[in-house]
């Protein structure tokens, strides 16, 4: 957990700048709001509510749940929250009535959590507890981009904002002092009137009356068009306080008249800062949308690979619409001056959303070894083609990124997904500055050692072996038979090109040849497995 303490003159300028009144300028541009925070009290008297986005311009009541010190509904553990501030919106535009929330709090409706300590000096302990609660906020609120919290230690109150990688903390507000009480009250009032995206909600994911995700907007970079899709089911929820906060939805695309899977994530972004070309500086070297579009176009003629990799239909950065502008959602536009004044460097993340096909089944649902062999062969065939023809290395082979589809003849088709960690193999940084990336349990030794030897296809093949070992040892299959029993003996015992004197460099030199041999062996095993699956169907 990264602890970031801000040293800005006043609380109002520091954190309330994120929650300026909904009649201020662009609600989504926090840096712009920060610079104009001194005018927020004047703009709060404005009557331009008709210009606000429908359903996000209404004020709200932030009220504590009726039962304090309780385990909220939706929690997957037994932790007890001291105070949950509930987001209670007006039922109708212009209505003065609100629904007072009685009973236990529900994480679905929690706007912020308050952690209380009886003595001062316990701020870090309180923050640590808020950090653990936030995981449940992200899990239960699929439209949450970042979260708010408060710590009360004795008479000292701190407001804090939790981003994907950092915690931004306000200066102390002592409620025994006039200034402290004024700052806290001002902040709570502004939070009741600000736009919901400034509280961390995502206006491009809209909920129904029961709080379930109903519609989602996907902006397509290539066509500069917004697609609104109907959400049929939430497939995957964010389960951590920090990280990419990846969520997946099964949606209906009425334009294509078919179902698609929408992935929503805050991915690390990397730019070529040393370039003299401004366009190159702005280009993201790790943009999954660009990679998937290139893969789709490059492999369009490969019928043998059809359905073995996720194929993008629409995709681009999430667009937050304000009063005077539309901004791409990322850590800079979401947190503005908080990032600029942070005492340590904050990771830059871009909020992207991708609609893709096909709808797949998790690898954990595999039924037998033959199906596993086919899935592995299909995925690695796609992986090899993407590396050799598209010059993109996946770099994150893991159990979550290998899925499959079931076919009517009892066979399956493996599908490679998730190019968040992928890298352009033609980029100079790829070979000169390798980085450790991927899923820890499946990383290659070269990757774990963080060596300066470039990553190759063999690193991903090594990850595959660890994945299969983990998969079978976890007894997810009813048989002890593994993939390797169907491999030719000379390849089953192959040394993967390792040389004890200089293992990483020698392996990198012969990586392509070894990977090609491994693929041939796996494809041969796939042929046998398919024959067995078809005979069982008959």
């Amino acid at each position: 957990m990264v602890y970031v303490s801000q040293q800005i003159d006043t609380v109002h300028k520091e954190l309330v700048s994120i929650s300026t009144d909904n009649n201020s300028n662009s609600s989504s541009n926090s840096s712009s709001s920060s610079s104009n925070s001194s005018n927020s009290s004047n703009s709060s008297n404005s009557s331009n509510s008709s210009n606000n986005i429908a359903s996000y311009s209404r004020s709200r009541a932030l009220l504590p749940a009726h039962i304090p010190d309780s385990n909220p509904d939706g929690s997957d553990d037994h932790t007890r929250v001291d105070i949950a501030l509930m987001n209670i919106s007006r039922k109708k535009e212009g209505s003065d009535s609100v629904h007072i929330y009685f009973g236990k709090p529900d994480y679905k409706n929690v706007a912020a959590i308050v952690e209380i300590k009886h003595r001062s000096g316990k701020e870090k302990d309180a923050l640590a507890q808020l950090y653990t609660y936030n995981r449940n906020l992200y899990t239960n609120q699929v439209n949450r981009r970042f979260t708010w919290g408060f710590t009360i230690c004795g008479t000292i109150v701190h407001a804090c904002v939790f981003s994907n990688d950092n915690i931004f903390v306000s200066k102390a507000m002592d409620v025994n002092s006039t200034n402290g009480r004024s700052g806290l009250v001002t902040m709570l009032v502004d939070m009741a009137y600000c736009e919901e995206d400034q509280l961390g909600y995502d206006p491009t994911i809209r909920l129904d009356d029961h709080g379930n995700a109903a519609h989602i907007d996907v902006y397509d970079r290539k066509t500069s068009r917004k697609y609104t899709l109907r959400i049929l089911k939430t497939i995957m929820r964010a389960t951590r306080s920090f990280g990419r906060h990846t969520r997946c939805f099964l949606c209906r695309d009425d334009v294509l008249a078919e179902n698609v899977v929408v992935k929503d994530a805050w991915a690390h972004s990397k730019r070529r800062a040393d370039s003299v070309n401004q366009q190159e500086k702005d280009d993201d070297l790790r943009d999954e949308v660009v990679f998937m579009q290139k893969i789709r176009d490059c492999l369009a003629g490969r019928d043998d690979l059809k359905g073995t990799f996720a194929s993008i239909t629409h995709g681009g950065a999430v667009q937050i619409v304000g009063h005077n502008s539309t901004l791409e959602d990322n850590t800079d536009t979401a947190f503005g001056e908080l990032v600029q004044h942070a005492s340590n460097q904050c990771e830059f993340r871009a909020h992207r959303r991708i609609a893709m096909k096909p709808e797949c089944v998790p690898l954990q649902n595999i039924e037998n070894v033959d199906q596993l062999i086919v899935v592995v062969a299909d995925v690695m065939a796609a992986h090899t083609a993407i590396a050799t023809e598209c010059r993109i290395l996946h770099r994150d082979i893991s159990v979550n990124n290998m899925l499959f589809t079931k076919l009517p003849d009892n066979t399956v088709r493996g599908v490679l997904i998730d190019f968040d960690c992928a890298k352009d193999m033609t980029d100079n940084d790829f070979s000169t500055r390798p980085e450790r990336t991927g899923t820890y349990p499946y990383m290659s030794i070269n990757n774990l050692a963080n060596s300066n030897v470039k990553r190759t296809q063999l690193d991903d093949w090594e990850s595959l072996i660890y994945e299969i070992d983990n998969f079978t040892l976890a007894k997810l299959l009813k048989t002890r038979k593994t993939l390797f029993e169907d491999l030719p003996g000379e390849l089953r015992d192959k040394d993967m090109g390792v040389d004890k004197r200089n293992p990483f460099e020698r392996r990198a030199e012969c990586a392509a040849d070894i990977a090609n041999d491994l693929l041939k062996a796996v494809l041969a095993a796939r042929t046998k497995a398919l024959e067995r699956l078809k005979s069982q169907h008959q």
Side-chain angles (χ1 to χ4, degrees):
M1 182 168 62
V2 182
Y3 182 85
V4 181
S5 180
Q6 302 296 340
Q7 300 298 326
I8 305 179
D9 291 339
T10 64
V11 173
H12 191 268
K13 184 177 181 181
E14 185 179 53
L15 280 178
V16 180
S17 60
I18 292 186
S19 59
T20 51
D21 180 78
N22 62 342
N23 292 311
S24 299
N25 289 328
S26 174
S27 64
S28 56
N29 190 345
S30 297
S31 58
S32 174
S33 300
S34 296
S35 62
N36 295 321
S37 61
S38 61
N39 297 324
S40 62
S41 60
N42 293 329
S43 46
S44 64
N45 296 322
S46 174
S47 57
N48 295 331
S49 60
S50 60
N51 296 325
N52 296 332
I53 305 170
S55 81
Y56 284 92
S57 60
R58 57 194 177 194
S59 61
R60 67 193 65 81
L62 294 179
L63 299 176
H66 187 63
I67 301 178
D69 189 27
S70 61
N71 180 243
D73 291 337
S75 174
D76 62 357
D77 54 34
H78 300 289
T79 54
R80 303 171 71 87
V81 171
D82 288 339
I83 297 177
L85 289 180
M86 311 303 292
N87 183 358
I88 306 169
S89 298
R90 310 290 186 189
K91 289 296 183 181
K92 293 182 180 180
E93 194 70 35
S95 171
D96 290 330
S97 62
V98 295
H99 171 69
I100 305 301
Y101 195 91
F102 291 102
K104 283 178 61 178
D106 188 329
Y107 270 120
K108 269 188 176 182
N109 302 317
V110 174
I113 298 173
V114 182
E115 179 63 23
I116 301 175
K117 301 292 182 185
H118 295 295
R119 293 178 298 172
S120 60
K122 297 286 187 178
E123 284 78 14
K124 287 191 177 182
D125 292 340
L127 278 175
Q129 287 187 254
L130 285 181
Y131 173 82
T132 61
Y133 303 147
N134 272 331
R135 178 175 57 83
N136 280 307
L137 280 179
Y138 287 119
T139 300
N140 285 272
Q141 299 180 18
V142 296
N143 64 331
R144 203 66 189 258
R145 297 155 54 237
F146 58 87
T147 61
W148 284 76
F150 291 88
T151 63
I152 302 177
C153 300
T155 63
I156 304 299
V157 179
H158 287 89
C160 47
V161 172
F162 292 79
S163 72
N164 301 80
D165 303 285
N166 299 278
I167 305 174
F168 302 102
V169 183
S170 74
K171 294 173 69 174
M173 294 175 279
D174 189 345
V175 294
N176 271 345
S177 69
T178 302
N179 288 339
R181 291 193 297 272
S182 174
L184 179 59
V185 170
T186 301
M187 176 174 291
L188 292 174
V189 170
D190 282 348
M191 289 178 72
Y193 282 89
C194 70
E195 293 285 358
E196 295 224 333
D197 65 280
Q198 293 172 289
L199 287 180
Y201 295 99
D202 189 340
T204 64
I205 299 178
R206 291 172 291 284
L207 310 181
D208 59 21
D209 292 338
H210 302 287
N212 300 313
H215 294 89
I216 187 169
D217 295 333
V218 180
Y219 294 85
D220 187 68
R221 175 184 299 163
K222 197 169 186 179
T223 61
S224 299
R225 178 180 173 184
K226 181 185 77 173
Y227 296 83
T228 298
L229 312 180
R230 287 186 289 118
I231 298 176
L232 305 178
K233 180 173 63 174
T234 300
I235 301 173
M236 178 179 178
R237 295 175 181 269
T239 57
R240 297 180 180 179
S241 294
F242 282 170
R244 291 185 291 177
H245 294 159
T246 302
R247 300 176 173 101
C248 293
F249 307 91
L250 177 64
C251 300
R252 182 66 179 177
D253 189 329
D254 292 324
V255 175
L256 298 178
E258 61 183 353
N259 292 349
V260 295
V261 174
V262 174
K263 173 186 174 182
D264 180 273
W266 287 77
H268 282 293
S269 181
K270 185 175 182 182
R271 291 175 173 149
R272 192 180 283 106
D274 55 353
S275 175
V276 296
N277 184 287
Q278 185 60 45
Q279 182 60 47
E280 287 186 352
K281 283 185 178 182
D282 293 339
D283 288 343
D284 187 351
L285 300 178
R286 291 183 57 171
D287 191 335
E288 185 179 19
V289 175
V290 173
F291 288 150
M292 292 187 68
Q293 289 173 339
K294 182 178 180 180
I295 292 168
R296 178 195 61 193
D297 298 340
C298 183
L299 301 181
R302 291 289 301 270
D303 292 338
D304 58 318
L305 296 176
K306 187 175 181 180
T308 61
F309 55 89
S311 179
I312 185 172
T313 58
H314 323 302
V318 173
Q319 309 286 316
I320 302 295
V321 180
H323 294 287
N324 302 317
S325 62
T326 298
L327 298 174
E328 291 190 0
D329 200 19
N330 55 53
T331 48
D332 283 353
T333 56
F335 303 109
E337 287 190 0
L338 296 181
V339 172
Q340 297 169 20
H341 290 84
S343 57
N344 67 325
Q345 186 175 4
C346 297
E347 293 279 354
F348 180 79
R349 290 180 181 265
H351 188 189
R352 300 194 189 97
R353 193 168 292 157
I354 303 172
M356 64 190 86
K357 301 182 294 183
E359 178 187 356
C360 303
V361 181
L363 194 62
Q364 288 86 343
N365 292 358
I366 211 80
E367 296 175 359
N368 54 57
V369 174
D370 288 328
Q371 287 186 351
L372 177 61
I373 292 171
V374 173
V375 171
V376 168
D378 288 343
V379 165
M380 296 316 291
H383 176 275
T384 301
I386 291 169
T388 56
E389 298 181 36
C390 309
R391 305 301 295 161
I392 295 172
L393 188 62
H394 189 278
R395 303 199 306 170
D396 190 18
I397 298 297
S398 67
V399 67
N400 293 324
N401 295 336
M402 295 174 59
L403 309 181
F404 69 97
T405 56
K406 290 186 176 182
L407 304 179
D409 61 353
N410 196 45
T411 61
V412 294
R413 194 75 158 146
V415 184
L416 179 63
I417 67 166
D418 193 355
F419 293 87
D420 269 346
C421 295
K423 196 72 179 286
D424 184 349
M425 299 170 70
T426 63
D427 179 31
N428 185 53
D429 279 355
F430 175 75
S431 58
T432 59
R433 285 183 283 186
E435 60 182 338
R436 180 190 293 161
T437 189
T439 305
Y440 270 107
Y442 311 111
M443 284 184 182
S444 68
I445 296 175
N446 184 28
N447 195 2
L448 279 172
N450 203 22
S451 75
N452 59 0
V453 177
K454 71 175 182 179
R455 311 295 185 255
T456 66
Q457 297 177 54
L458 270 193
D459 288 283
D460 284 356
W461 277 97
E462 186 179 337
S463 296
L464 173 69
I465 292 175
Y466 299 149
E467 177 188 341
I468 295 172
D469 286 345
N470 180 71
F471 192 75
T472 54
L473 288 174
K475 297 182 180 179
L476 293 174
L477 297 176
K478 294 180 181 179
T479 174
R480 291 180 178 273
K481 181 180 179 184
T482 67
L483 165 70
F484 301 105
E485 294 182 27
D486 282 313
L487 295 181
E490 64 272 16
L491 284 173
R492 192 187 313 151
D493 303 322
K494 199 169 184 63
D495 66 357
M496 297 289 289
V498 171
D499 186 322
K500 292 181 180 179
R501 294 167 298 174
N502 198 348
F504 301 139
E505 289 188 6
R506 178 174 179 266
R507 197 175 76 167
E509 292 173 0
C510 58
D513 292 336
I514 298 174
N516 189 50
D517 289 342
L518 289 169
L519 180 62
K520 288 179 181 178
V522 173
L523 290 177
R526 179 185 187 275
T527 301
K528 296 178 183 179
L530 274 178
E531 292 173 355
R532 291 192 290 268
L533 288 172
K534 290 180 179 179
S535 65
Q536 294 170 10
H537 181 64
Q538 295 173 352

